[in-house]
């Protein structure tokens, strides 16, 4: 066998063993050999090397099936790798330093209006934030294996080029390269909904699920698709944009310029705008309309304000139609809904579920579980950190292109 092939096989076996340990929390060598089909001698050799490299460690547990005898198990060393996740949004930039299990060592949120600033300004801010956050975690930059940046817009994850984002002006050098040059750490950039999807796949409701979809509700509506355990990004590596599916022909004007998009009814920006519009039409009254925020609109609706409740009801119905379309196209095992917009709770999700049931065929719907994932502010950064972990632990098979 050629040397290159032998090395590749060893690399694939190592990936397979590491991945099996990662997904099972703690596992014996015998079990690894059984699951992966790799010989016990090879498992022993490869795991010895992984232990010497500090990537995994041995731990003894008492096994009740062996009359309480102790068994030696292998587990991932959570502190073998540290990464930084960064999320850029319209009003803040969030950072988190995490270990391999997405345990957060330190986090930071800088409130700032990011819109229309030069890309160099954003790069300065990110550099300072990362330095501060790494210091807070009592680490040094050289201990950081990678930086993942999540950002809304059309991002080519392969080239690192941001084709379009609402958050900053494009410059000569892509943001990814600016950060990489300044900090000398491998940097990855990705659409923010895709980073959340990776976070769900590594650590959340998508763990061990081969086919699932994530829909994020915040300023806009984002989406991530996992097919056969792989993120689907499309031919331009940009990803999916379900927010601009037109669901109501000639409906409400969307910020993209089209009418009747899903996003024009369901996103935070749109719900706030619809509430303002209803106020201008004198359908309801607020004392300080200029200070109205999505949080206030949500709280008032939850207290029973009928006009605002009807906006959320309509949003839920439209979202339900959109999800029904996704169920028919993808036949997913799960749809995970997350993002700051889940704060609306039942007044959005009860009409959504009713619409999904009404518009979906039973055969398709019966296998698709819809989960509402409670939102935590560090989820974006955790997702961006998963982007780095995915790159670090990419299967060697993914690097091989078919020759025909
Ligand atoms: Zn649109």
């Amino acid at each position: 066998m050629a040397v290159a092939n032998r090395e590749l096989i060893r690399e694939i076996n190592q990936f397979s063993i590491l991945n099996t340990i990662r997904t099972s929390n703690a596992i014996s060598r015998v079990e690894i050999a059984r699951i992966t089909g790799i010989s016990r001698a090879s498992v022993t050799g490869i795991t010895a090397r992984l232990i010497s490299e500090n990537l995994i460690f041995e731990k003894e547990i008492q096994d009740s099936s062996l009359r309480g005898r102790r068994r030696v198990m292998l587990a991932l060393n959570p502190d073998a790798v540290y990464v930084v996740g960064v999320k850029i949004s319209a009003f803040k930039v969030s950072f988190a330093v995490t270990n391999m299990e997405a345990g957060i060592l330190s986090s930071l949120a800088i409130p700032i209006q990011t819109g229309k600033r030069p890309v160099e300004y954003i790069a300065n801010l990110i550099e300072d934030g990362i330095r501060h956050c790494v210091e807070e975690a009592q680490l040094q930059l050289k201990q950081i294996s990678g930086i993942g940046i999540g950002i809304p817009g059309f991002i080519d994850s392969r080239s690192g080029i941001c084709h379009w984002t609402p958050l900053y002006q494009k410059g000569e050098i892509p943001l990814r390269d600016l950060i990489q040059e300044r900090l000398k750490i491998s940097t990855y950039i990705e659409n923010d909904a895709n980073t959340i999807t990776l976070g769900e796949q590594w650590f959340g409701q998508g763990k061990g699920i081969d086919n699932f979809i994530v829909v994020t509700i915040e300023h806009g509506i984002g989406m991530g698709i996992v097919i056969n355990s792989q993120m689907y990004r499309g031919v331009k590596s940009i990803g999916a944009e379900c927010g601009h599916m037109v669901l109501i022909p000639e409906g409400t004007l969307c910020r993209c310029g089209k009418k009747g998009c899903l996003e024009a009814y369901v996103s935070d920006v749109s719900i706030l705008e619809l509430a303002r519009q209803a106020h201008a039409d004198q359908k309801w009254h607020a004392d300080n309309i200029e200070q109205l925020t999505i949080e206030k609109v949500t709280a008032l609706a939850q207290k029973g304000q009928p006009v605002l409740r009807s906006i959320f009801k309509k949003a839920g119905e439209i979202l339900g139609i959109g999800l029904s379309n996704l169920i028919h196209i993808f036949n997913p095992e799960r749809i995970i809904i997350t993002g700051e917009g889940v704060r609306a709770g039942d007044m959005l999700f009860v009409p959504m579920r009713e619409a999904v049931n009404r518009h979906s065929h039973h055969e398709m719907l019966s296998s698709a579980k819809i989960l509402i994932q409670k939102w935590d502010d560090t989820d974006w950064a955790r997702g961006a950190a998963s982007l780095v972990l995915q790159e670090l632990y990419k299967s060697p098979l993914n690097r091989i292109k078919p020759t025909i």
Side-chain angles (χ1 to χ4, degrees):
M1 194 189 295
V3 174
N5 278 353
R6 270 208 307 272
E7 278 176 9
L8 179 64
I9 286 170
R10 197 183 308 133
E11 221 182 314
I12 290 169
N13 285 347
Q14 176 168 310
F15 167 80
S16 179
I17 289 171
L18 256 182
N19 217 28
T20 307
I21 297 171
R22 182 180 73 79
T23 47
S24 58
N25 297 327
I27 188 168
S28 68
R29 289 178 176 84
V30 176
E31 273 292 283
I32 295 173
R34 189 185 64 76
I35 292 170
T36 60
I38 299 168
S39 74
R40 284 169 73 165
S42 293
V43 170
T44 304
I46 290 171
T47 53
R49 196 167 61 244
L50 294 172
I51 289 170
S52 73
E53 287 171 3
N54 226 6
L55 282 170
I56 60 172
F57 67 103
E58 285 183 334
K59 65 176 182 185
E60 287 190 359
I61 60 155
Q62 283 203 324
D63 191 331
S64 54
S65 67
L66 296 172
R67 293 200 209 118
R69 280 218 320 265
R70 301 182 80 78
R71 284 180 79 194
V72 178
M73 308 291 267
L74 296 170
L76 226 47
N77 172 11
D79 294 313
V81 168
Y82 299 112
V83 302
V84 184
V86 183
K87 151 77 173 162
I88 311 172
S89 51
F91 302 110
K92 67 181 170 206
V93 182
S94 318
F95 303 82
V97 176
T98 84
N99 64 13
M100 280 199 70
E101 291 176 338
I104 292 183
L105 279 70
S106 68
S107 64
L108 170 73
I110 302 176
I112 183 166
Q113 206 133 10
T114 47
K116 301 301 164 215
R117 307 251 191 185
V119 63
E120 286 77 10
Y121 179 92
I122 301 290
N124 284 341
L125 190 79
I126 291 178
E127 183 188 350
D128 291 349
I130 290 174
R131 286 184 188 280
H132 178 84
C133 223
V134 169
E135 209 179 305
E136 282 282 294
Q138 300 189 327
L139 295 171
Q140 294 179 343
L141 279 177
K142 63 180 180 199
Q143 292 172 274
I144 303 296
S145 300
I147 298 163
I149 303 174
I151 173 169
F154 298 155
I155 321 292
D156 183 333
S157 57
R158 273 181 314 202
S159 65
I161 292 171
C162 174
H163 295 288
W164 174 83
T165 176
L167 300 188
Y168 59 79
Q169 296 165 11
K170 280 203 286 187
E172 293 281 298
I173 309 172
L175 180 65
R176 181 190 69 175
D177 298 356
L178 286 173
I179 299 298
Q180 206 155 253
E181 277 162 23
R182 285 159 193 233
L183 295 169
K184 310 284 182 247
I185 299 171
S186 300
T187 302
Y188 309 92
I189 192 163
E190 175 72 271
N191 171 276
D192 53 3
N194 280 352
T195 63
I196 285 296
T197 306
L198 285 170
E200 289 295 337
Q201 189 180 26
W202 273 73
F203 307 109
Q205 303 281 0
K207 201 171 171 181
I209 306 291
D210 292 337
N211 297 287
F212 69 95
I213 284 171
V214 173
V215 175
T216 57
I217 309 174
E218 56 148 18
H219 284 279
I221 303 295
M223 179 183 182
I225 304 166
V226 172
I227 298 174
N228 295 333
S229 303
Q230 297 292 316
M231 175 82 80
Y232 176 77
R233 294 185 172 90
V235 69
K236 283 191 151 185
S237 296
I238 287 172
E241 279 290 338
C242 75
H244 302 287
M245 284 197 291
V246 175
L247 297 179
I248 310 283
E250 297 308 311
T252 303
L253 183 65
C254 179
R255 60 180 178 158
C256 76
K258 289 192 298 179
K259 285 182 176 174
C261 298
L262 173 67
E263 188 167 306
Y265 298 90
V266 185
S267 69
D268 282 358
V269 167
S270 302
I271 287 178
L272 184 57
E273 182 52 35
L274 290 166
R276 285 212 172 103
Q277 191 57 50
H279 190 274
D281 295 342
Q282 300 186 335
K283 290 181 180 164
W284 70 289
H285 177 74
D287 285 336
N288 208 346
I289 190 69
E290 292 78 24
Q291 305 295 319
L292 197 65
T293 61
I294 184 65
E295 288 81 7
K296 281 185 192 165
V297 170
T298 309
L300 286 168
Q302 274 163 344
K303 277 186 199 155
Q305 211 306 319
V307 174
L308 298 181
R309 280 191 84 83
S310 72
I311 293 173
F312 281 100
K313 183 167 181 281
K314 175 90 174 169
E317 286 166 2
I318 304 277
L319 180 59
I321 296 171
L323 294 189
S324 173
N325 290 345
L326 296 178
I327 287 168
H328 287 116
I329 296 168
F330 292 103
N331 188 16
E333 200 175 331
R334 279 189 187 173
I335 296 184
I336 302 163
I337 300 176
T338 188
E340 286 154 326
V342 302
R343 67 170 97 72
D346 282 353
M347 61 184 180
L348 181 69
F349 297 124
V350 168
M352 176 200 81
R353 287 189 189 276
E354 282 170 5
V356 170
N357 291 338
R358 200 162 51 244
H359 296 290
S360 306
H361 281 287
H362 175 72
E363 290 74 20
M364 305 293 281
L365 187 58
S366 58
S367 55
K369 195 171 172 186
I370 299 176
L371 297 170
I372 315 296
Q373 175 74 352
K374 202 170 148 278
W375 181 250
D376 184 287
D377 250 357
T378 53
D379 283 358
W380 287 115
R382 202 193 296 261
S386 310
L387 174 63
V388 182
L389 293 175
Q390 183 214 232
E391 288 296 329
L392 290 175
Y393 290 92
K394 193 176 258 182
S395 164
L397 287 169
N398 288 351
R399 296 200 296 267
I400 306 165
K401 292 253 184 332
T403 49
I404 51 167

